[in-house]
Amino acid sequence: MKKIAVVILNWNGEKLLKQFLPSVISFSSEAKIYVADNASTDNSLEVIKNQFPSVTIIQNDANYGFAKGYNVALQNIEEKYLCLLNSDVEVTENWLTPILSLFENNPEVGIIQPKILDYKNKAYFEYAGAAGGYIDKFGYPFCRGRIFDNVEKDNGQYDDEQTIFWASGACFFIRKDIFNQLNGFDDDFFAHQEEIDLCWRAINGGYKIKYTSKSVVFHVGGATLNEGNPRKTFLNFRNSLLMLLKNLPKKELFSIIFSRLCMDGLAGIQFVFNGKFKHSFAIIKAHFSFYSLINKTLKKRTSLQLKNYYYTKSIVYQYFVKNGKVFDKI
């Protein structure tokens, strides 16, 4: 049995499978390739069966989203290492070799992310992950290579191997036994930021998360749910609050979440001024959804809570006040 399983979650992604599966098949001889289908209604399954017969199909019986979709699908996989790969990612030659080496030689490393560049502009990092992720004190995520909407050009400044706080779900490597030990992704998230929550829980459990520039992939980004979709705003704001409630140190729990609720309110006002009323309403919906899940989420807290979880106190302050537009300036 091969050591790596490359698992692509699909929902009505017929065009993406045709475009990006060939590179995965060509450059993944060390892995078994799966497509986990979230009950697609297009011709995705026919495309896989007819054009990519070497790919194993796992059929979910409903569209469970990213979190539960993977949780259900991965129950059927036995490989030692998992690569959860978005369907809009082009991989490169030998992309799996440094990942496998890092896992095999470093038993404390539980999760790994490669360098993620922009498929549409390959000289630049890609928004979702870039060269590895961090969060600030208030739970706002950012990356080496991307802070808010400012994306850096890849000039080799992150050609290294670095311990990070979170790895991008666009191309997410994790040991199967750790995924099982942590009970996988949180189903309540559905999609967005579930990988940050899982990484935070892994760190609380004593595992390290690494970025390596020796493995490179190109990500389209927004192919499933683009930035202009209010649904994405809802999920990001709601899930960020759920993540904080689950993982913050107890003594900071109330103050940080209260601060985030206020900051979310300011973001909602800004959406109103920009005429994006649906996004403002999405934040309100996110807060009410969060309130409805508080009791359930509190039960998911563990006794292990990392105290020094954040990279900077406020990325908002660093970016908008101190003009820290790139990672090296914060």
Side-chain angles (χ1 to χ4, degrees):
M1 187 174 70
K2 295 184 178 181
K3 290 186 176 181
I4 301 178
V6 175
V7 189
I8 299 168
L9 190 69
N10 174 70
W11 181 68
N12 290 343
E14 174 187 352
K15 292 181 180 179
L16 295 174
L17 293 172
K18 288 179 180 178
Q19 184 175 0
F20 293 104
L21 257 181
S23 76
V24 179
I25 294 169
S26 296
F27 299 132
S28 305
S29 60
E30 306 98 320
K32 184 171 181 179
I33 303 168
Y34 299 83
V35 169
D37 187 74
N38 259 346
S40 292
T41 56
D42 66 357
N43 294 318
S44 293
L45 296 181
E46 288 73 16
V47 167
I48 298 167
K49 291 173 183 176
N50 295 329
Q51 299 185 30
F52 310 107
S54 65
V55 174
T56 300
I57 297 171
I58 300 173
Q59 182 65 67
N60 291 344
D61 59 7
N63 179 16
Y64 292 123
F66 186 98
K68 188 176 179 180
Y70 267 123
N71 287 345
V72 171
L74 296 179
Q75 294 174 8
N76 300 293
I77 291 174
E78 299 298 329
E79 282 77 17
K80 186 176 182 180
Y81 308 116
L82 305 173
C83 170
L84 312 185
L85 186 69
N86 275 18
S87 57
D88 59 347
V89 171
E90 179 184 77
V91 304
T92 60
E93 191 171 0
N94 296 320
W95 70 298
L96 294 176
T97 304
I99 303 293
L100 187 58
S101 175
L102 198 51
F103 272 138
E104 298 280 83
N105 295 315
N106 301 274
E108 76 283 1
V109 173
I111 298 170
I112 303 172
Q113 181 199 299
K115 178 190 284 191
I116 303 178
L117 299 176
D118 189 345
Y119 179 80
K120 293 168 284 191
N121 193 351
K122 294 187 175 182
Y124 283 80
F125 286 98
E126 208 278 315
Y127 182 94
Y134 297 88
I135 60 173
D136 76 352
K137 187 173 183 177
F138 301 100
Y140 288 108
F142 58 96
C143 308
R144 296 199 307 161
R146 190 274 298 171
I147 300 177
F148 291 111
D149 290 332
N150 189 71
V151 179
E152 296 178 44
K153 187 175 183 180
D154 177 20
N155 294 314
Q157 67 271 42
Y158 305 120
D159 281 355
D160 56 13
E161 196 171 278
Q162 186 66 252
T163 298
I164 57 177
F165 188 81
W166 59 270
S168 171
C171 187
F172 186 95
F173 290 88
I174 185 169
R175 295 179 189 269
K176 178 68 171 4
D177 59 349
I178 293 177
F179 188 86
N180 290 342
Q181 178 188 329
L182 297 172
N183 296 315
F185 295 117
D186 188 330
D187 288 352
D188 288 330
F189 280 52
F190 188 80
H192 295 294
Q193 301 202 35
E194 65 288 303
E195 77 268 43
I196 306 178
D197 168 65
L198 181 59
C199 287
W200 199 338
R201 289 186 279 127
I203 292 172
N204 282 340
Y207 299 106
K208 288 186 177 180
I209 301 170
K210 289 284 188 179
Y211 156 85
T212 177
S213 62
K214 294 178 182 177
S215 175
V216 179
V217 301
F218 298 95
H219 182 218
V220 174
T224 306
L225 202 59
N226 65 49
E227 288 293 332
N229 193 317
R231 173 70 172 166
K232 191 164 192 170
T233 299
F234 165 80
L235 290 169
N236 275 324
F237 278 80
R238 193 273 310 269
N239 292 350
S240 184
L241 290 167
L242 293 176
M243 177 180 67
L244 290 171
L245 185 61
K246 285 177 65 177
N247 299 295
L248 278 172
K250 187 175 181 179
K251 73 174 187 176
E252 296 187 350
L253 197 57
F254 177 79
S255 62
I256 295 298
I257 290 180
F258 178 76
S259 298
R260 268 302 301 268
L261 291 171
C262 294
M263 295 164 87
D264 287 358
L266 293 175
I269 292 170
Q270 184 180 26
F271 277 132
V272 169
F273 280 124
N274 291 332
K276 297 180 178 180
F277 302 106
K278 290 183 178 179
H279 292 270
S280 185
F281 184 61
I283 294 176
I284 296 171
K285 285 177 60 181
H287 281 199
F288 277 103
S289 180
F290 167 69
Y291 300 145
S292 72
L293 290 168
I294 284 178
N295 288 336
K296 183 179 181 182
T297 304
L298 283 172
K299 294 176 183 177
K300 299 176 185 177
R301 285 178 60 84
T302 68
S303 58
L304 301 170
Q305 307 295 342
L306 189 71
K307 293 181 180 179
N308 300 316
Y309 61 90
Y310 56 88
Y311 184 85
T312 182
K313 285 188 176 180
S314 174
I315 193 64
V316 175
Y317 176 80
Q318 292 286 347
Y319 186 87
F320 292 103
V321 179
K322 301 289 287 184
N323 201 36
K325 304 294 185 183
V326 298
F327 187 83
D328 287 345
K329 301 296 183 182
I330 62 173

